[in-house]
Amino acid sequence: MSMDRRDFLKLAGASTLVGLGGLSVFDGFVKDGALASQAHTAPGASAGKRLAMVIDVSKFKSPDDYKRVSYACHSIHNVPSIDNLKHEIKWIWTDTYEHVFPGQADQYMAENIMRLPFPVLCNHCAKPPCVRVCPTKATFKRKSDGVVMMDYHRCIGCRFCMAACPFGARSFNWTDPRPYIRKLNTSFPTRTKGVVEKCNFCAERLSAGLQPACVEASNGALVFGDLHDPSSEVREILSSRYAIRRKPNLGTGPSIYYVIGGNEHA
Amino acid sequence: MSDGWKIIAGLIIVIGLVTFPFYANFGKTVELPSTLEADPGEMHLGDIPLVNMRSEHMQLLNRWREEVVREDERYIMFDGDEYEKSLQNGCLSCHEKEDFCTKCHTFVGVRPYCWDCHIGM
Ligand code: SF4
Ligand code: SF4
């Protein structure tokens, strides 16, 4: 054979490139293709329902109105009341305008709005980043109605979802929550140390044909329904009132809308 | 080989430790949990024959979990009655946890973490 050492090395190098390099470049194309197609078909954008909520903040008149709403949720879902802010667990709570709508506060804005507590909860986003990052598919989006759900059995507590959620909608159980539950609802499970939890849009109540507990307790301040149904109450409100969502520029597509309203000008 | 006795002593200690569970429990009588006295033809909820429930209830529970959490299929029909696929609202509405779960689990020495979240009253 008349192949000298130099030619042999060249040939070997080239075939290695084709063999390994070629393959992995090809792989890359395939993966990019898959990612690209994922980005175009937003989960939940398909047929089926898209459940949403409209919160009319002007209908909250007293601190009791807020308390009643969060109590309704936290009591039926066995959400613990932990005073230590670092360990706190919350499904629905309140925050200030400045924090709920960052970048939209203004020094000349009506003071009552700036001081008003805004109810906040998981936005059940149309393109939820929490779902994209979860390595175990513990967090997933229900195709039938767009509810972002969790399977606590599968949560490994990595908290990627907490880092990914731009709304702080998720809490982590640093300790066993059981001792901090005021009154156990024995028909609903608790969570355990080491899992993340958040609002489930009352999936268990929806399944029984009921409205979410917070909506039921809100005296009409919270309205719940299907965004894909043009005759739904939420669509009716959205077509007649000016409503805003949290951080829409991030593109997660929140399904919680806020009607600010404000005072009937005194 | 003046250190031979050290090796022998070491071996004896190791063997003693490894076999500890055997002689610690030797001669003890452990009460068998009452068996599931089932007719081989009889079915339990969820199409697992009653005689196999003891060995296969974990698979049944796993399947129920997927169906409830992912598919929102929360009920199962059996003999014309509707049952909830749920530990606390289903199983334990007929069975008693202590007798139905704990006894066997203790006997075989497993500690499933169902009850970390599910409430067994
Ligand atoms: S608000 Fe946060 S937790 Fe809820 S769906 Fe959106 S990203 Fe996920
Ligand atoms: S903490 Fe749990 S739910 Fe969140 S990303 Fe990790 S496994 Fe998924």
Side-chain angles (χ1 to χ4, degrees), chain B residues 21-87:
Chain B
F22 293 99
Y23 60 77
N25 287 314
F26 190 75
K28 270 191 201 157
T29 49
V30 180
E31 199 199 328
L32 276 168
S34 54
T35 47
L36 281 177
E37 284 156 12
D39 167 352
E42 213 179 323
M43 303 290 280
H44 189 262
L45 313 176
D47 66 32
I48 291 185
L50 204 47
V51 276
N52 295 350
M53 273 307 276
R54 229 188 320 174
S55 53
E56 289 171 27
H57 63 285
M58 324 71 162
Q59 284 87 340
L60 174 80
L61 292 175
N62 264 354
R63 201 172 70 217
W64 280 6
R65 160 183 118 187
E66 298 297 312
E67 289 167 359
V68 169
V69 181
R70 309 256 156 188
E71 318 294 337
D72 200 24
E73 292 163 5
R74 290 168 191 264
Y75 294 92
I76 188 162
M77 289 299 289
F78 185 76
D79 247 2
D81 288 322
E82 199 177 48
Y83 296 89
E84 198 174 336
K85 295 175 194 163
S86 155
L87 282 182

Side-chain angles (χ1 to χ4, degrees), chain B residues 1-7:
Chain B
M1 277 299 279
S2 57
D3 279 345
W5 67 272
K6 285 186 191 163
I7 295 173

Side-chain angles (χ1 to χ4, degrees), chain A residues 160-173:
Chain A
F160 285 5
C161 54
M162 295 181 71
C165 171
F167 305 101
R170 293 171 165 267
S171 312
F172 184 65
N173 285 283

Side-chain angles (χ1 to χ4, degrees), chain A residues 134-136 138-139 150 155-161 196:
Chain A
C134 179
T136 64
T139 287
M150 282 194 67
C155 176
I156 54 171
C158 67
R159 287 169 281 142
F160 285 5
C161 54
V196 168

Side-chain angles (χ1 to χ4, degrees), chain A residues 74 78-84 87-89 173-184 190:
Chain A
H74 289 188
N78 290 327
V79 176
S81 322
I82 303 177
D83 289 334
N84 180 348
H87 293 183
E88 194 185 24
I89 309 279
N173 285 283
W174 292 95
T175 51
D176 178 13
R178 284 246 173 118
Y180 299 94
I181 299 170
R182 292 226 176 94
K183 195 174 165 292
L184 215 53
T190 68

Side-chain angles (χ1 to χ4, degrees), chain A residues 122-125 128-130 148 165-167 169-170 198:
Chain A
C122 167
N123 284 285
H124 297 276
C125 303
C130 54
V148 175
C165 171
F167 305 101
R170 293 171 165 267
K198 71 166 193 76

